[in-house]
Amino acid sequence: MKRNTGQNREITKGWRSATKAIRSGTMRSEFGETSEALFLTSGYTYDCAEDAAARFNGEQPGMTYSRLQNPTVQMLEERIAVMEGAEACRSTATGMAAMTAALLCQLQAGDHVVASRALFGSCRWLTDTLLPKFGIETTVIDGREIDNWEQAIQPNTKVFFFETPANPTMDVIDLRSVCDLARAKGITSVVDNAFATNVLQRPMEFGADVVAYSATKMMDGQGRVLAGAVCGSEDFIEETLLAFTRNTGPTLSAFNAWVVLKGLETLDLRIRRQSNNALEVGKFLEQRIEKILHPGLPSHPQHNLAMSQMEAAGPIFSLYVGGGRKRAHGLLNALNLIDISNNIGDSRSLMCHPASTTHHGLGEESRLEIGITEDMLRINVGLEDPIDLIEDLDQALSSIGL
Ligand SMILES: *Cc1c(COP(=O)(O)O)cnc(C)c1O
C-alpha cells in the first residue's frame, strides 16, 4: 500500500512525539482511507484449507481470531509501542487487565514481588490479596527510599512493581535508581505509567523493563472507554505475555481500540494543556489551603526529582482541606462546575474523596500509612478555562469557610 509508512518501524521511530501519536501504526486497507478503519470482526476466512493450516502453524502471516489479533487493535499496539520507545506492546480490555497480565504472566508460586505501597487501589489488591493466594510472596514498601527496595530483595525476588507519580498521594519514585537496582539484581521492573503517559515520562529511558497502562485515563482522555496496554521487549511480549493473554482472553475490543487511537492523536496537546491548567489551579489552591501535593510545584517534597524525569507534572494532584471527611465532602458538594467523579485523565475537571471511594477498600490503617487522610481530595484538572475552574473552587472553598 502506497505511503503506508505507519507500519515501518525504521521510519516511525525517527519521528518526534506528536507525529508518532498521529501517524505511527496506521495500516491502510485497499480503499486508502485516511482515518484508521474499524474492523468489527471476531473471525477471519481463508482461501483454502491449506492456508488455514499455514496460518495456524505460523508459516503464513495473518490473522485467525480476534482474541488473538485484530487489525484495529494492532494499529493501536504499534502506535503505543512506537510512542513508548518499546520493542513491542499488547493491549488489554482495561488497565487492571494490563497490570494483572504483566505480573501473572511472569510469576509463579514461590516467587517474590517488591511493590511500592502507594499504588492504585486495585493494584494494592493484586499485591496484598491475589498474588499471595497463588503462593507469590509480596513485600510492600515506601518506594521513595532506594534503601527500602534494596533491603526488601530476597533470593526469589522476581519483580519490582510501582507507579510514579502515585495515585493519589503524588509520591514520586526515582525511576533511574530503582530500575538500575532491579537490572543489577536480575529483577524485572514493571512501571504503571498511567498518570504521566509516554508523552511526559518514558520509564524505559530510565531502564524500566515493562511499562503498563490504564489507557482509560489520559490516552482515551475523554472518559469514553476502558483500555489497557503492556509495553516491553519483543522477547517479553511475544514469549511471556502473549501466552498468558491469548489463552486467558483479556482482549481489547476493536471499537475501544479505535476510540483510543483517536484519543492518542490529541494526547500530546491535551496532556500539556491540562498540565498547565493544573499548575494554574494548584497555584491558586496553594494560597487558600494549608497543604497541596502537586509534583509541578516547588512545595512538593520531591519536586526536583519529578521534574528530572517528567516533561510536565500532569493533570492530577491532591489537596488537604483540614477538618476531616465532613469538610472534604462539603467542598465537593459545593462545586458547581467541577464534577464529583473518581475518574481521571478526562478533559473534564473531576474531583473525588479517595478515602471514601477509590481507596475505601484499602482499610484505614493502610490509607493513613500512605497519607490518604479523611480531609484529602484529589483533582483531575481538565481542558476547561482555568479561570472558570478557579472561580468554582473559590466559591466552594468560601462556602466551607476557607
Ligand atoms: C485507573 C488506573 C488503573 C486501572 O485502570 P482501569 O482502566 O480502570 O482498569 C491502574 N493504575 C492506575 C495508576 C490507574 O490510575
Side-chain angles (χ1 to χ4, degrees):
M1 174 55 56
K2 188 167 170 275
R3 287 174 57 80
N4 211 359
T5 48
Q7 286 289 313
N8 185 330
R9 198 61 88 81
E10 285 313 306
I11 296 175
T12 58
K13 75 180 185 199
W15 289 335
R16 279 131 197 107
S17 170
T19 311
K20 287 176 179 168
I22 292 172
R23 290 186 170 269
S24 58
T26 301
M27 186 159 42
R28 290 194 172 122
S29 79
E30 68 269 34
F31 299 112
E33 65 280 355
T34 43
S35 172
E36 295 76 11
L38 174 50
F39 289 91
L40 283 179
T41 182
S42 43
Y44 303 88
T45 59
Y46 314 91
D47 286 343
C48 60
E50 290 73 20
D51 275 5
R55 261 329 141 82
F56 271 82
N57 72 20
E59 281 170 13
Q60 186 184 90
M63 311 206 172
T64 56
Y65 187 54
S66 278
R67 170 151 44 77
L68 317 181
Q69 319 94 353
N70 175 281
T72 311
V73 172
Q74 279 193 354
M75 286 192 261
L76 175 68
E77 293 171 338
E78 177 64 12
R79 183 167 298 174
I80 295 175
V82 170
M83 292 172 74
E84 195 68 39
E87 285 176 11
C89 166
R90 284 294 178 276
S91 58
T92 53
T94 66
M96 281 320 301
M99 303 307 154
T100 307
L103 294 173
L104 280 184
C105 76
Q106 58 176 320
L107 291 166
Q108 62 183 45
D111 288 345
H112 174 242
V113 174
V114 183
S116 165
R117 66 189 188 188
L119 287 176
F120 184 71
S122 293
C123 292
R124 274 298 294 268
W125 185 82
L126 295 184
T127 59
D128 298 2
T129 307
L130 184 76
L131 297 182
K133 228 164 99 169
F134 290 94
I136 300 157
E137 232 187 312
T138 59
T139 304
V140 175
I141 56 158
D142 179 347
R144 290 172 295 185
E145 297 297 331
I146 187 68
D147 290 351
N148 295 341
W149 293 93
E150 186 132 33
Q151 280 157 19
I153 295 174
Q154 302 177 6
N156 58 342
T157 305
K158 291 285 157 55
V159 168
F160 279 180
F161 179 45
F162 61 98
E163 99 192 32
T164 180
N167 182 13
T169 53
M170 308 316 290
D171 284 4
V172 179
I173 290 174
D174 186 335
L175 280 164
R176 172 62 71 196
S177 310
V178 177
C179 295
D180 277 356
L181 176 65
R183 279 269 159 100
K185 304 282 182 185
I187 294 165
T188 305
S189 51
V190 178
V191 181
D192 178 346
N193 199 33
F195 266 39
T197 81
N198 49 33
V199 170
L200 299 184
Q201 172 175 277
R202 285 169 297 282
M204 284 182 178
E205 291 175 1
F206 298 88
D209 297 308
V210 177
V211 181
Y213 283 99
S214 169
T216 312
K217 310 296 166 54
M218 280 309 304
M219 288 189 175
D220 168 31
Q222 287 139 90
R224 300 167 295 190
V225 299
L226 296 166
V230 183
C231 300
S233 67
E234 189 93 38
D235 187 53
F236 175 80
I237 299 289
E238 297 291 331
E239 302 304 324
T240 307
L241 183 83
L242 267 188
F244 184 89
T245 53
R246 286 182 161 183
N247 295 301
T248 57
T251 312
L252 180 62
S253 81
F255 181 78
N256 290 359
W258 181 82
V259 172
V260 178
L261 272 168
K262 296 289 112 190
L264 288 178
E265 291 184 6
T266 54
L267 175 60
D268 195 280
L269 274 178
R270 285 185 285 106
I271 200 162
R272 290 180 200 281
R273 174 69 80 91
Q274 285 182 241
S275 295
N276 285 342
N277 287 357
L279 272 181
E280 296 292 313
V281 172
K283 283 178 195 158
F284 163 77
L285 285 172
E286 206 166 34
Q287 293 165 358
R288 281 289 284 274
I289 59 178
E290 220 161 278
K291 181 176 166 193
I292 79 167
L293 282 173
H294 187 316
L297 291 174
S299 56
H300 188 288
Q302 296 168 291
H303 171 66
N304 290 338
L305 173 62
M307 293 298 99
S308 73
Q309 51 192 34
M310 302 175 77
E311 284 186 33
I316 301 145
F317 65 93
S318 57
L319 46 139
Y320 294 79
V321 292
R325 178 177 296 204
K326 193 154 177 274
R327 192 186 254 175
H329 277 188
L331 180 82
L332 292 181
N333 292 336
L335 294 167
N336 292 325
L337 174 65
I338 300 169
D339 291 305
I340 304 172
S341 173
N342 48 285
N343 198 14
I344 51 171
D346 198 300
S347 53
R348 282 159 191 76
S349 293
L350 309 172
M351 246 172 127
C352 82
H353 180 246
S356 58
T357 58
T358 53
H359 290 71
H360 167 73
L362 201 55
E364 194 179 6
E365 198 182 328
S366 298
R367 277 201 302 272
L368 290 180
E369 200 178 71
I370 57 179
I372 305 175
T373 52
E374 288 291 329
D375 71 330
M376 177 203 224
L377 294 165
R378 183 189 70 191
I379 184 166
N380 168 75
V381 179
L383 288 172
E384 303 96 336
D385 192 310
I387 297 171
D388 289 324
L389 300 173
I390 288 168
E391 283 176 4
D392 192 30
L393 286 162
D394 184 24
Q395 64 79 26
L397 287 167
S398 301
S399 81
I400 58 165
L402 286 172

